[in-house]
Amino acid sequence: MSSETALATGRRARGFAPFLRSQMRNIAPFLTLIFLTAFFAFASPSFATLDNLGNILTQVSVTGIIAVGLTFVILCAEIDLSIASIANVTGIAVAYFTLQESYVNIANVPLPGVVAIILSILLCALLGLVNALGLTVIGIPSFIMTLAMMQIAAGISALLVRGQIAYKVPSLITTLGSGSIGGIPWIVIVAALMLLGGHLVLTYTRFGRYVYMVGGNREAAEYSGLNVKLILGAVMVISAVCSGIGGMLGVAHFGSAQQNEFDTYLLDSIAAVVVGGTSLFGGRGGIGNTIVGLFVLGVLNNGLDHVNIDSFLKILIRGLILLAALVINVYAQRLREKAAE
Amino acid sequence: MPEGQQPILELQGITKSFGGVEALRGVDFALYSGEIHGLVGENGAGKSTLMKIIAGVHTEFSGHFLVDGQERHFHSARDAHAAGIAMVHQELSVAPDLTVAENVFLGNQPINRFGLVQWRRMAREAGEQLARFGIDVDPMARLGDLPIGLQQLIEIARVLFSGARIVILDEPTSALSPPEVERLFATLKRLRQGGAAIVFISHFIEDILRVSDTVTVFRNGRKVAETASAATSKGALIEAMIGRGGEALEHSYTDDLMLPRPSDSSVILKVDQLSLARSLREVSFEARAGEVLGIYGFMGCGQQELSRILFGKLKPDGGTLAVEGTPKSFASTAAARRAGVALVPESRRDMLFHQEPVYKNISISILDRISSLLLKPARERDIAKRQVEQLQIRPPVVGLDLGMLSGGNQQKVALAKWLTYPPKLLVLCEPTRGMDVGAKNDVINIVRNLRARGLAIIVLSTEPETVLSLADRILVLKRGALVREFKNEPVSKDRLLEAA
């Protein structure tokens, strides 16, 4: 710990203001969260209740599960636009492999629940692998590669359900997606565990360190003899698998599997990661930031329902908040660079 | 030098300093029309600074600046351009995504009265201009698709045909093949007949002697000699460039240094017939355990590419390399590292994580040796502390962000990351560039220690001093080919320069 103190003294030597500036990325989202919470608590008596906290947690769970993987991707200074589509296709796949009621007009392939789940996870992992290969072997920028994957996954979804809606998923998925234990919804527990797992991997494993280093300076990572392509490929697969899990639980949570069910989750997940303060330039941030970002988004979405506001205006307000967060993100990067000089 | 004629450009007593360091001290310089004027001097001698003053890049200086006998003061490169002065900089500055014709007419494309570009006219005129230069390319081809040497010729052609009366060429031949150099020289001579004045800066003294009428030598910001090219020799120019005795710093390597008898220890690296597009031509050599092999050459001689191939960052077009007798074809830098090769590139920015603490910078290359799945931060810090102590990195705080360290200390960190588990082969590019004397000595000692531990070390540098202070055996790389090996014989700075 002695070097920890040395680090602190090193920073103190530069004064408190530069330290604050270098921490801007973490402080700003937290202040935003406190401000929003205080505002809605003041504006609506029904907002600051234990019940409503439960609502908020449940509402952000699917986004949270998807955002775990996306955090890895953004930390590497890449992007994954296929998360929502992959979530959708995985949710549809797990329903496709489950026996549906007779009135559901889908030519599906009923399999035992465990097999259905495993096949669905394999499917999203495979789509992630295609993203990974396109990015690392062929060299397509992730923005374009995952844009293509967004269409591909949507196409598979469309072919599987053909405009119909499926309702049944394996019982394990039903429980995790819509059941609860001791009053706590399983989906919140799964989201919390995945966020915790993501945090542990990023903070305490060698792979997590590599993710930060590749995001911090890719050239330097390569000159340090790291297998940069392997790491980039791995985060794309992780992102796809997290999306797939979010998709399966989401389908159970909503009670149906259909086309375009997850469209809003792309923007929400990116917003959660970036609003939380993880740098779009890579190397800075983490799951802690993503959790703060999720709460900012959750409080905002939920709070706007509690105050009497034009529901069409809500969309605009969300957009403005996202813009503000992006501005802070870019400025925080610049302030930090200045503090480092 | 034409006597009695008025110089087209005359500089008197030019002094220029950067942050208190004088880059030029009282330099007089005159240029006549119909003259090719060669400039030689070591890196940092002041040639480029003087030329940037002439081209309007540096606008703050003291002294007199006369064009056609009139005192002038340029405020920008645009002013210089208007006065008929153009410069081709050392680094290629073309627009690779535009066509050849667009590049030739960059900034003054012919337009019709509606303000639209006259493509056909532009293509025709560009083709004619380039043909006069002996360049036969499709004017509508994308410039970036052409070989680098051709791109450079086209850039030079653009400047030469821009109508400038004074043309400055900074190292124009380093990326050119011998026939391209011939074409350039023929064109320069034709322009001279047309009355243009040309300044030609080059490390290749043979080129200067062949093409120029007059040659001026710079050393430490002073003009130390100006003679007719016909009346001097390569040896005399090198002597003037590096200066014997008198002005020399503590160790200038002007006297002969005896290289030791070549080591007969085991061969760590064997490179055979390595080739890379226009950068390397059939390079073959060996590096042995406990030996420091120096590779010297001018900027652009292929050193950088060679080092990247050894570390798996670039793939060669031909040839093989073997580590301890096993042929290797590195798919990635990770593969090279696993095979026991380490590289410290010339740019610290490429090698280090400025926003991360020192200890993470040191441990990154060896994480897989000290931890399997989980990190061991305490172990990392211990290892980093030991390196920081051994290399005397200041301040000795491993938790400090790397960006807070001085340049010399950052360079030591770049070395430190390879030293806990030493590689078999360590490749160092410009290991002492930009360091003060103390830090240089530290690096020299570190390298000697590693040699004693049996590593094979390759030092690549464009500074003769760096190679001479470290190497046991020296190879000279010239335009991508090995041209000379110094071993078990006396060597000095002028012998190296002579060979290059």
PDB file of all heavy atoms in Angstrom, chain B residues 264-279:
ATOM      1  N   ASP B 264      32.612 -15.516 -31.180  1.00  0.00           N
ATOM      2  CA  ASP B 264      32.265 -16.776 -31.847  1.00  0.00           C
ATOM      3  C   ASP B 264      31.246 -17.544 -31.016  1.00  0.00           C
ATOM      4  O   ASP B 264      31.117 -18.751 -31.126  1.00  0.00           O
ATOM      5  CB  ASP B 264      33.507 -17.623 -32.118  1.00  0.00           C
ATOM      6  CG  ASP B 264      34.323 -17.841 -30.866  1.00  0.00           C
ATOM      7  OD1 ASP B 264      33.879 -17.336 -29.799  1.00  0.00           O
ATOM      8  OD2 ASP B 264      35.373 -18.493 -30.929  1.00  0.00           O
ATOM      9  N   SER B 265      30.505 -16.806 -30.175  1.00  0.00           N
ATOM     10  CA  SER B 265      29.446 -17.444 -29.390  1.00  0.00           C
ATOM     11  C   SER B 265      28.293 -17.830 -30.321  1.00  0.00           C
ATOM     12  O   SER B 265      28.328 -17.540 -31.507  1.00  0.00           O
ATOM     13  CB  SER B 265      28.969 -16.510 -28.294  1.00  0.00           C
ATOM     14  OG  SER B 265      28.584 -15.283 -28.864  1.00  0.00           O
ATOM     15  N   SER B 266      27.270 -18.440 -29.734  1.00  0.00           N
ATOM     16  CA  SER B 266      26.221 -19.030 -30.568  1.00  0.00           C
ATOM     17  C   SER B 266      25.423 -17.946 -31.302  1.00  0.00           C
ATOM     18  O   SER B 266      25.237 -16.837 -30.816  1.00  0.00           O
ATOM     19  CB  SER B 266      25.280 -19.865 -29.702  1.00  0.00           C
ATOM     20  OG  SER B 266      24.652 -19.019 -28.771  1.00  0.00           O
ATOM     21  N   VAL B 267      24.974 -18.330 -32.502  1.00  0.00           N
ATOM     22  CA  VAL B 267      24.188 -17.413 -33.319  1.00  0.00           C
ATOM     23  C   VAL B 267      22.753 -17.394 -32.791  1.00  0.00           C
ATOM     24  O   VAL B 267      22.108 -18.428 -32.699  1.00  0.00           O
ATOM     25  CB  VAL B 267      24.182 -17.868 -34.795  1.00  0.00           C
ATOM     26  CG1 VAL B 267      23.243 -16.990 -35.615  1.00  0.00           C
ATOM     27  CG2 VAL B 267      25.596 -17.826 -35.346  1.00  0.00           C
ATOM     28  N   ILE B 268      22.271 -16.198 -32.405  1.00  0.00           N
ATOM     29  CA  ILE B 268      20.899 -16.090 -31.906  1.00  0.00           C
ATOM     30  C   ILE B 268      19.949 -15.816 -33.069  1.00  0.00           C
ATOM     31  O   ILE B 268      18.908 -16.435 -33.204  1.00  0.00           O
ATOM     32  CB  ILE B 268      20.784 -14.946 -30.867  1.00  0.00           C
ATOM     33  CG1 ILE B 268      21.683 -15.227 -29.672  1.00  0.00           C
ATOM     34  CG2 ILE B 268      19.334 -14.757 -30.450  1.00  0.00           C
ATOM     35  CD1 ILE B 268      21.245 -16.382 -28.815  1.00  0.00           C
ATOM     36  N   LEU B 269      20.338 -14.863 -33.903  1.00  0.00           N
ATOM     37  CA  LEU B 269      19.472 -14.500 -35.023  1.00  0.00           C
ATOM     38  C   LEU B 269      20.224 -14.645 -36.324  1.00  0.00           C
ATOM     39  O   LEU B 269      21.376 -14.209 -36.432  1.00  0.00           O
ATOM     40  CB  LEU B 269      19.004 -13.046 -34.863  1.00  0.00           C
ATOM     41  CG  LEU B 269      18.221 -12.481 -36.064  1.00  0.00           C
ATOM     42  CD1 LEU B 269      16.791 -12.955 -36.039  1.00  0.00           C
ATOM     43  CD2 LEU B 269      18.267 -10.965 -36.073  1.00  0.00           C
ATOM     44  N   LYS B 270      19.579 -15.268 -37.291  1.00  0.00           N
ATOM     45  CA  LYS B 270      20.173 -15.336 -38.620  1.00  0.00           C
ATOM     46  C   LYS B 270      19.143 -14.818 -39.615  1.00  0.00           C
ATOM     47  O   LYS B 270      18.031 -15.313 -39.696  1.00  0.00           O
ATOM     48  CB  LYS B 270      20.562 -16.777 -38.955  1.00  0.00           C
ATOM     49  CG  LYS B 270      21.306 -16.898 -40.265  1.00  0.00           C
ATOM     50  CD  LYS B 270      21.959 -18.259 -40.351  1.00  0.00           C
ATOM     51  CE  LYS B 270      22.459 -18.561 -41.746  1.00  0.00           C
ATOM     52  NZ  LYS B 270      23.265 -17.507 -42.339  1.00  0.00           N
ATOM     53  N   VAL B 271      19.548 -13.771 -40.326  1.00  0.00           N
ATOM     54  CA  VAL B 271      18.664 -13.158 -41.303  1.00  0.00           C
ATOM     55  C   VAL B 271      19.242 -13.446 -42.669  1.00  0.00           C
ATOM     56  O   VAL B 271      20.435 -13.256 -42.889  1.00  0.00           O
ATOM     57  CB  VAL B 271      18.602 -11.632 -41.059  1.00  0.00           C
ATOM     58  CG1 VAL B 271      17.903 -10.947 -42.209  1.00  0.00           C
ATOM     59  CG2 VAL B 271      17.900 -11.333 -39.755  1.00  0.00           C
ATOM     60  N   ASP B 272      18.402 -13.964 -43.575  1.00  0.00           N
ATOM     61  CA  ASP B 272      18.926 -14.351 -44.876  1.00  0.00           C
ATOM     62  C   ASP B 272      18.098 -13.730 -46.007  1.00  0.00           C
ATOM     63  O   ASP B 272      16.905 -13.978 -46.108  1.00  0.00           O
ATOM     64  CB  ASP B 272      18.915 -15.883 -44.980  1.00  0.00           C
ATOM     65  CG  ASP B 272      19.860 -16.362 -46.067  1.00  0.00           C
ATOM     66  OD1 ASP B 272      20.828 -15.635 -46.362  1.00  0.00           O
ATOM     67  OD2 ASP B 272      19.612 -17.448 -46.618  1.00  0.00           O
ATOM     68  N   GLN B 273      18.742 -12.901 -46.819  1.00  0.00           N
ATOM     69  CA  GLN B 273      18.126 -12.370 -48.044  1.00  0.00           C
ATOM     70  C   GLN B 273      16.790 -11.673 -47.793  1.00  0.00           C
ATOM     71  O   GLN B 273      15.863 -11.787 -48.587  1.00  0.00           O
ATOM     72  CB  GLN B 273      17.886 -13.504 -49.049  1.00  0.00           C
ATOM     73  CG  GLN B 273      19.101 -14.307 -49.374  1.00  0.00           C
ATOM     74  CD  GLN B 273      19.919 -13.694 -50.479  1.00  0.00           C
ATOM     75  OE1 GLN B 273      19.405 -13.316 -51.514  1.00  0.00           O
ATOM     76  NE2 GLN B 273      21.203 -13.542 -50.255  1.00  0.00           N
ATOM     77  N   LEU B 274      16.697 -10.947 -46.688  1.00  0.00           N
ATOM     78  CA  LEU B 274      15.448 -10.278 -46.337  1.00  0.00           C
ATOM     79  C   LEU B 274      15.180  -9.129 -47.300  1.00  0.00           C
ATOM     80  O   LEU B 274      16.039  -8.280 -47.524  1.00  0.00           O
ATOM     81  CB  LEU B 274      15.570  -9.743 -44.908  1.00  0.00           C
ATOM     82  CG  LEU B 274      14.322  -9.755 -44.048  1.00  0.00           C
ATOM     83  CD1 LEU B 274      13.722 -11.144 -43.977  1.00  0.00           C
ATOM     84  CD2 LEU B 274      14.675  -9.270 -42.657  1.00  0.00           C
ATOM     85  N   SER B 275      13.963  -9.102 -47.876  1.00  0.00           N
ATOM     86  CA  SER B 275      13.614  -8.021 -48.801  1.00  0.00           C
ATOM     87  C   SER B 275      12.245  -7.482 -48.459  1.00  0.00           C
ATOM     88  O   SER B 275      11.379  -8.199 -47.979  1.00  0.00           O
ATOM     89  CB  SER B 275      13.585  -8.530 -50.238  1.00  0.00           C
ATOM     90  OG  SER B 275      14.874  -8.963 -50.604  1.00  0.00           O
ATOM     91  N   LEU B 276      12.064  -6.197 -48.681  1.00  0.00           N
ATOM     92  CA  LEU B 276      10.758  -5.576 -48.467  1.00  0.00           C
ATOM     93  C   LEU B 276      10.572  -4.465 -49.484  1.00  0.00           C
ATOM     94  O   LEU B 276      11.271  -3.447 -49.436  1.00  0.00           O
ATOM     95  CB  LEU B 276      10.656  -5.008 -47.049  1.00  0.00           C
ATOM     96  CG  LEU B 276       9.338  -4.304 -46.730  1.00  0.00           C
ATOM     97  CD1 LEU B 276       8.219  -5.307 -46.592  1.00  0.00           C
ATOM     98  CD2 LEU B 276       9.449  -3.490 -45.461  1.00  0.00           C
ATOM     99  N   ALA B 277       9.638  -4.663 -50.401  1.00  0.00           N
ATOM    100  CA  ALA B 277       9.287  -3.676 -51.427  1.00  0.00           C
ATOM    101  C   ALA B 277      10.464  -2.768 -51.769  1.00  0.00           C
ATOM    102  O   ALA B 277      11.486  -3.222 -52.280  1.00  0.00           O
ATOM    103  CB  ALA B 277       8.079  -2.885 -51.001  1.00  0.00           C
ATOM    104  N   ARG B 278      10.349  -1.452 -51.471  1.00  0.00           N
ATOM    105  CA  ARG B 278      11.415  -0.534 -51.834  1.00  0.00           C
ATOM    106  C   ARG B 278      12.329  -0.245 -50.652  1.00  0.00           C
ATOM    107  O   ARG B 278      13.209   0.604 -50.752  1.00  0.00           O
ATOM    108  CB  ARG B 278      10.801   0.774 -52.326  1.00  0.00           C
ATOM    109  CG  ARG B 278       9.997   0.622 -53.590  1.00  0.00           C
ATOM    110  CD  ARG B 278       9.321   1.907 -53.933  1.00  0.00           C
ATOM    111  NE  ARG B 278      10.258   2.958 -54.290  1.00  0.00           N
ATOM    112  CZ  ARG B 278      10.632   3.199 -55.543  1.00  0.00           C
ATOM    113  NH1 ARG B 278      10.160   2.491 -56.518  1.00  0.00           N
ATOM    114  NH2 ARG B 278      11.482   4.171 -55.798  1.00  0.00           N
ATOM    115  N   SER B 279      12.121  -0.920 -49.531  1.00  0.00           N
ATOM    116  CA  SER B 279      12.843  -0.546 -48.320  1.00  0.00           C
ATOM    117  C   SER B 279      14.084  -1.382 -48.057  1.00  0.00           C
ATOM    118  O   SER B 279      15.092  -0.872 -47.586  1.00  0.00           O
ATOM    119  CB  SER B 279      11.929  -0.653 -47.106  1.00  0.00           C
ATOM    120  OG  SER B 279      10.802   0.152 -47.282  1.00  0.00           O
TER     121      SER B 279
END
